Amino acid sequence: MRDTVDWHIQGGRILTEQGFETADLSISGGMLSELRAADASIIDADGLLVLPGIVDIHGDGFERQIMPRPGVRFDTALALRDTDRQLVANGVTTAFHGVTVSWEPGLRSLDAAKQLISAVCDLRDTLGCDTRLHLRWESFALDQMAQVARWLSLSPRPIIAVNDHTTGSVLNGTIARKIGQMAERSGLSREQYMTLLGQIWSRRAEVEIAIGRLAATARANGNVLLAHDEASPEVRTYFRALGAKASEFPLTLETAKAARQVGEDVILGAPNVVRGGSHNGALNATEAVRAGLCTVLTSDYHYPSPLHAAFRLSSPGAGDFPSIWNLVSANPARVAGLDDRGSLVAGHRADLILVDAGDPEHPRVVATMVHGQIVYCSGLSRTDRRSAQPLPLDKVS
């Protein structure tokens, strides 16, 4: 059972809308508070940055824990627990696991999604990170749509994104060169995969109707609806009319501009920033951020990247650091409809991280707190409220 003590963080540099302020931060009942509890345990954060926890609304790095090599599969619960450790060690306090539901067999099949979603529901209360679902429905997965629609009623409500990696594969677009990788992931030979792809493509006339139906279900359930890989401003207009509130990984600069011109969020991958560009020739996320065309950065496939992307884009001493950190915290929280996190203000959940930025190119998460519970720590001490003696935080249970 976890320690449920109240906390008082002192001496740290706390991130505010104006910048960093050396001040104390009190936590009571898992929430940030203006008042210090009389019996609060003290955390000495001298020399550390105190930042809102990272909210990751699109991450499928867990797939590598399930299938680290093509055809090599591990237990789903084991993979989720290992993923949870990676998340909190990298400062992620809320994570939406991007569960792809495709027409493909294998890792992204309906059966695989069922296993993963069942495991998330069973384990969620035991995980350190606030772990949620981001259902990525492939629009050609017509026979799987009914189950996806039922999952939209899960609590907490999943994010639902419409994906189309099929058209690009068939028409030799940006996805076509991944056919070999996609076949391996599916457990099929390239020839078998291409045969199945042809069968799926023959049903393309049904896709638009299916998208409309699923979008209507999402609106009725109150799910956040996103559109993935939008190829043009016209496609953005189409999905906007269906209720998709943000453009996720738009394929062109014009599409990102079309979203931002009407105040919509644009979501890109933090690994794009850390690596210095997209690995598949898509938009350069750093340039998009600088141009005001990206409002949210996600882990995509690499959990350390949101933290490191923020420090690549700015530095704690720079005036734009608060707005840059919003890309991985307040902004994704807003997109996800979570108004109780993303900034360090009284009344919000105590979802925060303590970061050693002595080496700004390699910032290190020293401790992670989720809803007032310390779920990760490395080399930090607290003062116990009963004995007034320092205790290692990694002994908290």
Side-chain angles (χ1 to χ4, degrees):
M1 185 175 179
R2 292 176 183 166
D3 197 342
T4 57
V5 301
D6 294 332
W7 301 97
H8 186 74
I9 301 173
Q10 62 183 24
R13 296 175 62 200
I14 299 171
L15 185 64
T16 70
E17 292 183 0
Q18 290 73 39
F20 284 98
E21 175 185 346
T22 300
D24 294 353
L25 195 66
S26 292
I27 296 158
S28 181
M31 309 296 286
L32 298 171
S33 174
E34 294 180 347
L35 301 176
R36 175 178 174 176
D39 60 351
S41 292
I42 297 172
I43 296 175
D44 182 2
D46 183 46
L48 301 176
L49 305 181
V50 185
L51 302 169
I54 294 169
V55 179
D56 183 21
I57 62 173
H58 174 119
D60 58 23
F62 64 87
E63 289 185 341
R64 287 173 178 77
Q65 314 311 319
I66 296 174
M67 189 178 288
R69 292 183 177 178
V72 178
R73 190 178 182 92
F74 282 85
D75 175 73
T76 303
L78 173 64
L80 283 175
R81 290 190 176 99
D82 190 27
T83 296
D84 184 61
R85 288 188 285 272
Q86 290 189 36
L87 287 165
V88 296
N90 286 291
V92 180
T93 54
T94 302
F96 286 81
H97 283 345
V99 184
T100 300
V101 183
S102 176
W103 46 264
E104 299 171 318
L107 182 62
R108 294 186 168 182
S109 67
L110 182 65
D111 285 342
K114 286 179 178 177
Q115 291 179 31
L116 182 67
I117 291 170
S118 177
V120 169
C121 291
D122 289 344
L123 295 174
R124 186 171 182 273
D125 290 343
T126 70
L127 300 175
C129 184
D130 183 0
T131 303
R132 297 164 179 251
L133 294 170
H134 175 150
L135 301 175
R136 305 180 63 208
W137 174 67
E138 288 290 337
S139 58
F140 280 73
L142 299 167
D143 295 333
Q144 292 79 9
M145 189 184 74
Q147 176 60 71
V148 173
R150 288 192 289 271
W151 280 328
L152 294 182
S153 296
L154 289 171
S155 181
R157 288 285 191 262
I159 290 174
I160 175 70
V162 179
N163 299 260
D164 178 10
H165 293 117
T166 305
T167 300
S169 299
V170 172
L171 300 181
N172 296 319
T174 57
I175 306 299
R177 62 188 177 83
K178 296 184 179 181
I179 290 292
Q181 173 189 334
M182 295 161 78
E184 283 188 340
R185 184 178 65 206
S186 302
L188 301 175
S189 68
R190 187 183 182 92
E191 292 73 21
Q192 290 171 326
Y193 189 89
M194 293 305 292
T195 297
L196 178 58
L197 178 59
Q199 295 170 356
I200 295 299
W201 181 246
S202 69
R203 299 182 64 184
R204 58 191 177 277
E206 304 173 49
V207 170
E208 186 171 352
I209 295 173
I211 292 174
R213 288 176 177 169
L214 191 65
T217 302
R219 291 195 303 270
N221 281 341
N223 302 91
V224 171
L225 175 65
L226 304 177
H228 186 78
D229 283 356
E230 293 173 314
S232 68
E234 291 74 22
V235 175
R236 172 88 289 262
T237 299
Y238 167 73
F239 278 107
R240 179 183 300 132
L242 292 176
K245 66 184 294 182
S247 183
E248 189 183 40
F249 295 80
L251 296 179
T252 68
L253 194 64
E254 292 72 23
T255 307
K257 288 180 178 178
R260 294 299 299 136
Q261 283 171 355
V262 294
E264 294 170 333
D265 285 283
V266 173
I267 303 165
L268 295 176
N272 186 314
V273 173
V274 176
R275 295 182 68 255
S278 170
H279 70 285
N280 61 8
L283 295 183
N284 182 294
T286 298
E287 294 177 359
V289 169
R290 300 299 187 206
L293 298 178
C294 171
T295 57
V296 172
L297 291 171
T298 72
S299 73
D300 196 6
Y301 55 87
H302 186 246
Y303 293 127
S305 282
L307 172 72
H308 290 272
F311 280 83
R312 294 287 179 92
L313 290 166
S314 186
S315 64
D320 67 345
F321 191 85
S323 63
I324 291 298
W325 192 256
N326 284 344
L327 297 173
V328 299
S329 190
N331 293 357
R334 185 190 66 247
V335 172
L338 301 175
D339 59 4
D340 61 347
R341 66 200 74 187
S343 59
L344 300 178
V345 297
H348 274 202
R349 282 169 50 113
D351 289 1
L352 57 87
I353 59 177
L354 275 61
V355 174
D356 179 353
D359 178 358
E361 291 195 7
H362 298 94
R364 182 175 68 91
V365 176
V366 175
T368 301
M369 182 177 288
V370 176
H371 207 190
Q373 305 285 353
I374 295 172
V375 296
Y376 171 80
C377 80
S378 175
L380 187 71
S381 295
R382 68 164 178 166
T383 298
D384 183 64
R385 65 177 186 262
R386 293 172 293 274
S387 64
Q389 297 298 315
L391 295 175
L393 282 177
D394 54 7
K395 298 302 183 183
V396 172
S397 59

